[in-house]
Amino acid sequence: MTFVQVIDYETKRFEEMNALIDRWAEQASGRRTVTHTMIGRDRDAKTHYVDLVEFPSYEEAMRNSQLPETDRMFQEMVALCEGMPKFMNLDVVRDEYLNKLLVNRIFEELAEKGNFDVMEECVAADYMEHDMMRQPGTGDGREGLRRSMTMWRDAFDFTFDLHRQIAEGDCVTTLWNWTGRHKGDFMGMAPTGQEVAMSGCTTFRIENGQIAEGWWYYDAPGLMRQMGTGTGMGADMGTGTGTGTGMGSASGGTTPDMGM
């Protein structure tokens, strides 16, 4: 269970406190068990600060407290404070990244289920897409994303396995595995019933509670090899004028992007 220690203190020497924390992090490198720290300053009392220190568990926090560097830092911290710091020890009982929940809806409701009714709720009107296989701007906006998803949904029955997510600031990065069955026309290829799979990574930027920007990276060459279209990418993989060995259509159609 994740454990958080809250340290409440007052100091008129915050720059020195900041330097002390940096020095401890360097000296305890390779042995400290802290995973995340955050310091907040009271807007109504400029000398009042609250530190949030996160650990994987209470036991790991206890290991960290036994480091000689931690004990030394505590003594120096007290000397910088106006009075004795106050401590609160918390077991985290709910830990939720709302941006992750939003991103999961893109994969599960829009991409897999084709529920485009949630597009307006989840995706910004001026959404921007960056796809390794598509010309810039062609997948932008809600309609651009809708076209991308529709193209893939018409060509494959597929599912995503979201096996790792990292949320930081306004971005969420998802590592995924994609498996599908070729059921419809894809780049001029008639449906084969072939079972295919690939891995990829998507980063979404969230603004005002909606997906505002997306970056898609995935194993397109591996997918094409599984479908028997060659081992390499076409010469003009962003224009759809390749020879059929890459993502471009042999008939000069538009290059498909994952864009979902």
Side-chain angles (χ1 to χ4, degrees), residues 64-133:
N64 191 80
S65 69
Q66 293 167 7
L67 296 175
E69 292 85 0
T70 302
D71 182 63
R72 186 164 56 248
M73 182 192 73
F74 174 71
Q75 300 302 326
E76 295 181 41
M77 177 184 182
V78 170
L80 294 174
C81 290
E82 304 291 318
M84 194 69 176
K86 299 176 182 177
F87 292 83
M88 182 182 298
N89 299 317
L90 304 177
D91 288 324
V92 176
V93 296
R94 179 168 177 170
D95 184 7
E96 201 167 54
Y97 287 88
L98 298 183
N99 283 349
K100 283 186 178 181
L101 299 181
L102 174 63
V103 166
N104 290 346
R105 293 187 69 185
I106 297 297
F107 286 103
E108 296 167 4
E109 296 188 42
L110 288 180
E112 292 187 345
K113 297 179 181 178
N115 180 12
F116 295 116
D117 291 340
V118 301
M119 182 78 77
E120 187 169 339
E121 176 186 350
C122 295
V123 180
D126 58 352
Y127 168 78
M128 292 187 295
E129 184 166 275
H130 309 276
D131 190 288
M132 58 179 284
M133 299 308 304

Side-chain angles (χ1 to χ4, degrees), residues 78-254:
V78 170
L80 294 174
C81 290
E82 304 291 318
M84 194 69 176
K86 299 176 182 177
F87 292 83
M88 182 182 298
N89 299 317
L90 304 177
D91 288 324
V92 176
V93 296
R94 179 168 177 170
D95 184 7
E96 201 167 54
Y97 287 88
L98 298 183
N99 283 349
K100 283 186 178 181
L101 299 181
L102 174 63
V103 166
N104 290 346
R105 293 187 69 185
I106 297 297
F107 286 103
E108 296 167 4
E109 296 188 42
L110 288 180
E112 292 187 345
K113 297 179 181 178
N115 180 12
F116 295 116
D117 291 340
V118 301
M119 182 78 77
E120 187 169 339
E121 176 186 350
C122 295
V123 180
D126 58 352
Y127 168 78
M128 292 187 295
E129 184 166 275
H130 309 276
D131 190 288
M132 58 179 284
M133 299 308 304
R134 193 168 195 181
Q135 292 285 6
T138 56
D140 289 353
R142 291 171 180 154
E143 285 308 309
L145 186 57
R146 184 193 301 269
R147 286 193 300 270
S148 298
M149 292 184 180
T150 298
M151 184 276 295
W152 283 89
R153 287 181 51 79
D154 287 347
F156 298 94
D157 283 326
F158 63 82
T159 59
F160 281 101
D161 175 21
L162 312 182
H163 61 88
R164 183 67 61 89
Q165 281 186 318
I166 301 171
E168 184 172 355
D170 59 356
C171 288
V172 176
T173 296
T174 305
L175 302 180
W176 45 260
N177 291 324
W178 176 94
T179 55
R181 181 182 61 83
H182 184 201
K183 68 173 184 178
D185 183 79
F186 184 71
M187 295 169 47
M189 296 176 57
T192 62
Q194 179 76 27
E195 299 287 339
V196 292
M198 64 177 171
S199 59
C201 171
T202 303
T203 296
F204 283 124
R205 181 177 65 83
I206 292 86
E207 184 176 319
N208 298 323
Q210 293 183 312
I211 303 294
E213 199 166 3
W215 291 261
W216 294 83
Y217 304 93
Y218 47 94
D219 185 15
L223 174 64
M224 302 314 295
R225 283 194 295 270
Q226 293 173 67
M227 299 180 67
T229 59
T231 59
M233 305 303 292
D236 297 304
M237 62 184 183
T239 62
T241 57
T243 62
T245 59
M247 289 297 281
S249 168
S251 60
T254 57

Side-chain angles (χ1 to χ4, degrees), residues 12-108:
K12 297 177 182 178
R13 303 162 66 182
F14 182 70
E15 293 304 321
E16 293 176 69
M17 185 74 75
N18 222 17
L20 172 62
I21 295 170
D22 289 341
R23 189 162 60 250
W24 171 83
E26 180 180 353
Q27 293 172 350
S29 178
R31 289 172 296 122
R32 62 178 185 267
T33 60
V34 176
T35 57
H36 184 209
T37 65
M38 181 181 298
I39 300 177
R41 183 174 64 186
D42 192 335
R43 295 178 65 91
D44 299 319
K46 299 302 184 182
T47 62
H48 181 206
Y49 295 86
V50 175
D51 293 6
L52 304 176
V53 188
E54 181 179 311
F55 300 86
S57 66
Y58 172 78
E59 291 73 21
E60 290 298 317
M62 292 303 96
R63 282 183 52 205
N64 191 80
S65 69
Q66 293 167 7
L67 296 175
E69 292 85 0
T70 302
D71 182 63
R72 186 164 56 248
M73 182 192 73
F74 174 71
Q75 300 302 326
E76 295 181 41
M77 177 184 182
V78 170
L80 294 174
C81 290
E82 304 291 318
M84 194 69 176
K86 299 176 182 177
F87 292 83
M88 182 182 298
N89 299 317
L90 304 177
D91 288 324
V92 176
V93 296
R94 179 168 177 170
D95 184 7
E96 201 167 54
Y97 287 88
L98 298 183
N99 283 349
K100 283 186 178 181
L101 299 181
L102 174 63
V103 166
N104 290 346
R105 293 187 69 185
I106 297 297
F107 286 103
E108 296 167 4

